[in-house]
Amino acid sequence: MFLRLLAAVLATAAVAGDAQGADRVRIGISNYNLSNLTVGVAQTRDFFKQEGIDAEIIRMNPNVATMALISGDVGYTTLIGSVIGANLKGAKLKIIACSQDRTPLALVGKPELKSVKDLKGRTIGVGSYGSTPDIVARMIVKHFGVDPDTEVKVLALGSDAARLAALKEGVVDVIIVAPPVDFEGQKMGFNILSRAGDVFRFPYNGLGTSVRKINENPDEVKRVLCALIKANGYIRRNKEGTVQVLVDWAKTKPEFATAAYDSSVGVFSSDGTIPEDGLRIVIENFRKSMNITRQVSLNEVADTTPLREAQRELGMRN
């Protein structure tokens, strides 16, 4: 009896010690959805805990998340498009990994719209101006021959759910959203006009942090990245468990969660590598939208040193 009691006390002390010894970090995300599934899995399946990280995942408006990252109120954000934009304005921020190297975003439009070419003169609902969905929407319409600057109107509406509501109410003609909202729209009678992942490949979601964080706490940064890489491995291998995270963490209906997983599992990077060609596309779009005439190098907006360390830690490179 005494030995069992002693073992219980020691186990409790060990758990308490682990909790006290973990590094507390705050990560800003735009929504609890498939786009941010990597951090959701890392948190709910204890990959952060395995790396000695006590992570707080906070839903934030992209602009607020970027300002919080600059001020140090959050340590990391998954909104890498906003990080790049802030970097080009002079903020000492860098993207350090890519969790999704293709985007699951889709253009969902009114029933009478049959193709992207039908969007001339129409209004597109995005999350916020300058955000990744905004940039992706413009890239898609341009790919299909529609000028995003002169032939469509773009309206910032907030969350995916708010965009779907605006489409339903006729405020906009088309929206750009991530699964499972695209499937919800399809069930309501709207058309999926294009999936961005079928058109081009570029870093959609990942992790950004401050230059200060990279310089002052490289071990924490490495361990956060290890947790996210492990989470993506779980997503790619474990459909049932991942769908359950979408149901529980992202509050997704089971049928939509399964459909979202099936259509998007291939966008999750196996090792967090940032695709250089895709990053150049994103940088060029920012340069044009911000009227930046100088050339911008990849190293100016990205620091891959922490990621290489994490990959070595996990045996993914020598």
Side-chain angles (χ1 to χ4, degrees):
M1 178 70 179
F2 173 76
L3 291 176
R4 286 199 299 270
L5 179 60
L6 178 61
V9 171
L10 291 174
T12 301
V15 170
D18 287 344
Q20 292 174 357
D23 289 336
R24 299 200 66 180
V25 304
R26 306 176 84 192
I27 302 175
I29 66 173
S30 60
N31 215 330
Y32 302 105
N33 60 7
L34 183 132
S35 296
N36 293 289
L37 181 60
T38 301
V39 293
V41 167
Q43 185 183 50
T44 61
R45 293 299 182 258
D46 292 338
F47 294 115
F48 282 130
K49 187 179 294 184
Q50 290 175 16
E51 297 294 331
I53 299 294
D54 178 13
E56 181 182 5
I57 313 301
I58 307 170
R59 178 178 175 177
M60 311 176 84
N61 175 280
N63 295 331
V64 173
T66 304
M67 292 306 299
L69 189 62
I70 293 171
S71 68
D73 289 329
V74 300
Y76 306 87
T77 180
T78 61
L79 298 159
I80 59 176
S82 298
V83 169
I84 295 171
N87 172 289
L88 295 178
K89 292 178 181 178
K92 295 185 180 301
L93 306 178
K94 300 269 189 169
I95 63 171
I96 57 175
C98 175
S99 58
Q100 296 176 0
D101 53 21
R102 279 179 293 146
T103 169
L105 289 171
L107 284 178
V108 181
K110 291 179 176 179
E112 64 266 26
L113 300 174
K114 305 303 180 184
S115 73
V116 177
K117 293 181 180 180
D118 295 336
L119 296 184
K120 289 184 179 180
R122 303 284 187 157
T123 301
I124 303 175
V126 303
S128 61
Y129 299 120
S131 65
T132 300
D134 179 20
I135 293 169
V136 171
R138 295 174 188 272
M139 289 170 65
I140 294 174
V141 298
K142 184 176 181 179
H143 175 82
F144 286 97
V146 179
D147 190 324
D149 297 320
T150 62
E151 294 183 313
V152 295
K153 180 180 178 182
V154 177
L155 188 62
L157 298 168
S159 68
D160 283 7
R163 278 171 256 171
L164 183 59
L167 179 62
K168 185 177 179 181
E169 293 166 7
V171 176
V172 294
D173 303 294
V174 63
I175 56 176
I176 185 160
V177 290
V181 178
D182 55 346
F183 296 102
E184 292 184 48
Q186 200 171 30
K187 289 197 72 172
M188 293 165 63
F190 298 112
N191 289 332
I192 295 179
L193 303 180
S194 177
R195 294 192 180 279
D198 296 336
V199 178
F200 39 68
R201 185 186 187 94
F202 75 100
Y204 169 61
N205 211 326
L207 201 67
T209 191
S210 65
V211 172
R212 180 177 179 179
K213 173 72 76 173
I214 296 170
N215 292 337
E216 295 184 358
N217 206 337
D219 183 65
E220 177 194 287
V221 176
K222 179 189 71 174
R223 287 183 285 119
V224 169
L225 289 172
C226 283
L228 297 184
I229 293 171
K230 289 179 179 179
N232 265 16
Y234 180 95
I235 291 169
R236 291 164 64 93
R237 294 189 302 268
N238 192 324
K239 175 178 177 176
E240 182 178 351
T242 303
V243 167
Q244 197 59 49
V245 173
L246 282 170
V247 171
D248 296 336
W249 182 76
K251 308 303 180 188
T252 305
K253 294 179 180 179
E255 62 174 317
F256 293 146
T258 299
Y261 180 90
D262 289 341
S263 71
S264 305
V265 62
V267 310
F268 290 90
S269 171
S270 61
D271 62 2
T273 295
I274 303 169
E276 292 187 359
D277 289 346
L279 181 56
R280 286 192 180 93
I281 292 173
V282 176
I283 291 173
E284 284 305 303
N285 276 274
F286 270 108
R287 283 184 62 229
K288 291 176 182 177
S289 66
M290 297 169 67
N291 295 317
I292 296 174
T293 56
R294 65 180 178 84
Q295 292 300 309
V296 178
S297 69
L298 301 185
N299 290 337
E300 185 174 335
V301 300
D303 186 342
T304 59
T305 301
L307 179 62
R308 291 196 297 271
E309 291 298 319
Q311 291 169 339
R312 288 190 189 97
E313 183 86 8
L314 297 173
M316 294 180 167
R317 65 163 59 221
N318 297 323

